[in-house]
Amino acid sequence: MPTYRPGPVSLVIAALVALFLLMPLLAVIPVSLTPSRMLAMPSGELSLRHYRALIEDPRWIDSILLSIRIGVVSSAFSSVLALCFSLGVWMFQPRFTAALVGFVLLPMVVPPVVSAITLYFLLTSMSGFSSFFGYDTWLGVAMAHSVMTVPFATVLILVSLSQLDRRIDLAARGLGASVWERATRIIIPNIKFGIVTAALLSFVLSWEEIGVTLFITSVNAITLPRLMWMGLRDNIDPAIAALSVILIIITVLVLAVRSVMAKPRGGR
Amino acid sequence: MRGVLSDRMGAALLMAPLLLFLVLAYAWPFLGVVKWSFTLPTPGLGQYEALLTDDLVQSVFIRTLRIAAIVTVVSVAAAYAITVVWVRGSPAQRLIAEFCILVPFWISVLTRAFGWVALLSNRGLINTWLQSIGFISEPLALVRNEFGVIVGMTHFLIPFAVFPLASAMRSLDDRVLLAARGLGSSRMRTFWTVFVPMTRSGIIGSALIVFVFSLGFFVTPAILGGGRSVMIAELIYLRIFQSPDWGLGAAISVVLVLFVGALMALLFRYVRPRQLI
């Protein structure tokens, strides 16, 4: 417990920063309830028409379903690759570990727009070979999202492995367990929480991904952020406000559940 | 059998899929982009020459550096203020600070940019309110310009600036602060002459992270700048899809990677990677 507490001046400045951080999230609530067809504050009466538009307009539903499909596939793919890689690093501690991990983390460090042009190059080259795996296809987007999420999944799994007691693995090894048995019966059950978190984070990152997606889709693979982007660039559609309110509520609920679940572990 | 050989093979087999995937899907295509920068539209160094001579490219580079510098200073200062409360406040204050940091952090960049449009546009909350109280007669131009871009980027980057600062403040020894107070230093003086200097590594780490992120920022400037305040990333997008001038887009990307790489090398000279989490 810190004995040195922030004084009144710090508290006032921090409160202003907190207000700044929450302001744009609160601003979308009144806009989503406006009866007007354009972006405006409700004057007097409130309306749920923009929430209804989300359910009735097939474009929103289609893009939500597509985003879920891409998110599930890329999250599963990147979590499995990240898990195998991390197990290899942890169990065998090969030479050049730092260089290999550094290489895997590159897509996280390189500016997203450079990753975007790189993946654009990849998918347009692949389009020449296959019509369902290149530019503007859902499998192409899932693969590009995997490139972008795999560093985050790897970091989370490596962090949970670093907290695992090596002696339990040594004991299993000493008792004659094979590599496969050590991985599936000793290590994986002990880092379950980390693996689930990695998969969840990969899904969320893919679900929100827009920088790369803009470069590699045009008319067929319209994910939810891509559709929001089109709405924001052309004419500002208050349906986006309704969608934003729903997404913010889901985020707050998930964070609340997570903090309740994390409490007994004493983690942050 | 569990010989040395099988261990090494096990490691190779487990690590190979991800490494192979990233080589094929990321490293190899990046080399393709480098190749574009030297071959499109004509082979040679023409695109790199254009980077040094083209007025538009130059002005976008300068604007990007200026916006990144302003955003860095404002974000780190704001993050510092809220991190002090998050790390050293009373339990209730810490909970509120954590909520205000983490909720925006998890919300998508598009939702956040949209929220700022709803606040700052001509018929947004701020202009509507100022007009209704008769403070202004014409709406203020708060968005679709550089001001809007800076506000939106600062909002996005504050949570990222918080983590290195929090790590530096957590490892600071309370007794030093108490000693300063005990020796008669005022609250303000203790803060500026003891607390801030002792969290220097956090400030450097946080500033470099925010600056590097600002350079490659795409979505927020494109929406809140409204095409009038184009930054490097949006310029690359326009060169690829509107001109289409793939060679120049590729050359800008290569320069951006080199620049960010140099900054990261600088970052790791001052801060160990562990301190950033």
Side-chain angles (χ1 to χ4, degrees):
Chain A
M1 198 79 258
T3 46
Y4 188 83
R5 290 282 170 80
V9 181
S10 308
L11 287 177
V12 170
I13 300 173
L16 291 175
V17 175
L19 185 69
F20 175 75
L21 285 172
L22 291 187
M23 241 174 17
L25 311 184
L26 298 174
V28 295
I29 298 173
V31 176
S32 74
L33 295 170
T34 184
S36 158
R37 275 178 54 204
M38 284 177 303
L39 180 73
M41 291 302 122
S43 44
E45 61 186 315
L46 302 176
S47 152
L48 288 174
R49 60 178 285 183
H50 301 298
Y51 289 87
R52 209 167 48 231
L54 286 180
I55 308 168
E56 285 169 358
D57 188 340
R59 286 185 316 152
W60 290 108
I61 304 290
D62 288 349
S63 71
I64 288 172
L65 292 176
L66 179 70
S67 276
I68 292 176
R69 180 159 34 136
I70 291 172
V72 168
V73 170
S74 70
S75 155
F77 186 63
S78 64
S79 312
V80 169
L81 289 186
L83 177 62
C84 290
F85 175 82
S86 311
L87 284 175
V89 167
W90 191 79
M91 288 167 80
F92 304 107
Q93 294 173 296
R95 270 182 290 171
F96 314 119
T97 293
L100 292 173
V101 173
F103 174 69
V104 169
L105 300 192
L106 271 182
M108 192 162 95
V109 186
V110 168
V113 66
V114 177
S115 300
I117 184 173
T118 302
L119 292 162
Y120 172 73
F121 179 92
L122 171 75
L123 292 175
T124 46
S125 321
M126 281 173 64
S127 290
F129 299 103
S130 156
S131 57
F132 61 98
F133 207 66
Y135 179 78
D136 202 20
T137 61
W138 78 269
L139 273 172
V141 177
M143 190 169 82
H145 283 191
S146 304
V147 171
M148 299 307 288
T149 57
V150 89
F152 295 91
T154 307
V155 166
L156 282 175
I157 295 176
L158 282 176
V159 165
S160 35
L161 278 171
S162 72
Q163 287 157 358
L164 184 64
D165 190 342
R166 267 190 190 280
R167 285 171 301 182
I168 58 169
D169 181 48
L170 285 175
R173 193 177 163 172
L175 291 168
S178 68
V179 168
W180 173 253
E181 283 170 329
R182 281 156 62 200
T184 55
R185 296 176 61 182
I186 308 294
I187 305 173
I188 293 178
N190 272 295
I191 56 163
K192 242 179 354 202
F193 192 73
I195 298 172
V196 172
T197 314
L200 195 70
L201 180 73
S202 305
F203 179 83
V204 171
L205 289 173
S206 159
W207 169 264
E208 290 183 347
E209 216 304 313
I210 177 67
V212 168
T213 311
L214 269 182
F215 277 72
I216 55 170
T217 59
S218 58
V219 287
N220 294 320
I222 302 297
T223 63
L224 183 64
R226 173 86 212 213
L227 190 63
M228 284 176 77
W229 166 270
M230 290 172 3
L232 281 173
R233 278 314 282 271
D234 309 336
N235 58 324
I236 293 188
D237 181 351
I240 298 175
L243 180 69
S244 299
V245 172
I246 296 171
L247 293 177
I248 290 168
I249 292 172
I250 294 174
T251 308
V252 172
L253 286 178
V254 170
L255 280 176
V257 170
R258 181 178 156 271
S259 72
V260 168
M261 273 171 56
K263 272 284 142 57
R265 302 170 155 262
R268 29 171 205 131
Chain B
M1 287 309 292
R2 245 182 21 237
V4 177
L5 189 69
S6 75
D7 263 17
R8 236 186 255 154
M9 268 174 59
L13 277 177
L14 281 170
M15 294 166 74
L18 177 54
L19 294 172
L20 201 65
F21 173 64
L22 285 178
V23 166
L24 292 178
Y26 199 67
W28 172 75
F30 180 72
L31 293 181
V33 173
V34 176
K35 193 185 86 187
W36 274 359
S37 76
F38 290 110
T39 55
L40 295 178
T42 50
L45 289 171
Q47 298 306 332
Y48 290 93
E49 211 181 301
L51 289 188
L52 294 171
T53 50
D54 187 318
D55 285 345
L56 174 71
V57 178
Q58 301 264 296
S59 70
V60 170
F61 262 105
I62 292 168
R63 180 185 298 122
T64 304
L65 289 175
R66 182 180 62 229
I67 292 180
I70 298 172
V71 167
T72 303
V73 172
V74 180
S75 307
V76 173
Y80 204 90
I82 197 158
T83 312
V84 169
V85 175
W86 187 35
V87 174
R88 312 193 79 86
S90 70
Q93 290 164 358
R94 295 166 77 157
L95 196 68
I96 296 171
E98 180 162 311
F99 179 85
C100 295
I101 294 164
L102 289 188
V103 168
F105 180 74
W106 280 106
I107 284 170
S108 109
V109 59
L110 281 168
T111 304
R112 290 160 73 174
F114 177 74
W116 282 111
V117 172
L119 271 171
L120 301 176
S121 67
N122 284 352
R123 283 193 285 168
L125 275 174
I126 291 179
N127 274 318
T128 312
W129 178 68
L130 287 176
Q131 279 173 313
S132 73
I133 61 167
F135 193 73
I136 50 171
S137 52
E138 288 296 306
L140 301 172
L142 300 173
V143 76
R144 310 236 181 268
N145 56 25
E146 205 167 300
F147 176 80
V149 175
I150 290 172
V151 168
M153 284 176 65
T154 303
H155 183 258
F156 188 87
L157 289 166
I158 287 175
F160 291 90
V162 161
F163 300 117
L165 291 173
S167 147
M169 287 184 201
R170 281 203 188 93
S171 56
L172 195 150
D173 190 339
D174 270 19
R175 287 170 300 182
V176 183
L177 303 167
L178 290 175
R181 294 282 280 148
L183 291 167
S185 169
S186 71
R187 248 181 191 291
M188 274 291 181
R189 188 150 174 225
T190 310
F191 179 75
W192 286 111
T193 59
V194 182
F195 193 87
V196 172
M198 288 188 73
T199 52
R200 207 187 49 163
S201 73
I203 297 173
I204 296 172
S206 165
L208 273 165
I209 285 182
V210 172
F211 190 76
V212 165
F213 271 42
S214 313
L215 292 177
F217 232 72
F218 178 60
V219 173
T220 312
I223 291 173
L224 297 173
R228 257 169 257 170
S229 191
V230 176
M231 291 176 69
I232 294 179
E234 196 181 356
L235 184 65
I236 296 176
Y237 178 79
L238 297 174
R239 289 292 135 168
I240 299 285
F241 292 105
Q242 292 189 356
S243 301
D245 189 355
W246 294 359
L248 191 64
I252 302 173
S253 305
V254 171
V255 171
L256 191 57
V257 163
L258 293 177
F259 191 55
V260 167
L263 285 172
M264 295 302 285
L266 193 69
L267 171 73
F268 290 128
R269 274 189 65 178
Y270 288 103
V271 192
R272 270 176 290 128
R274 284 217 157 270
Q275 290 179 316
L276 298 180
I277 311 168

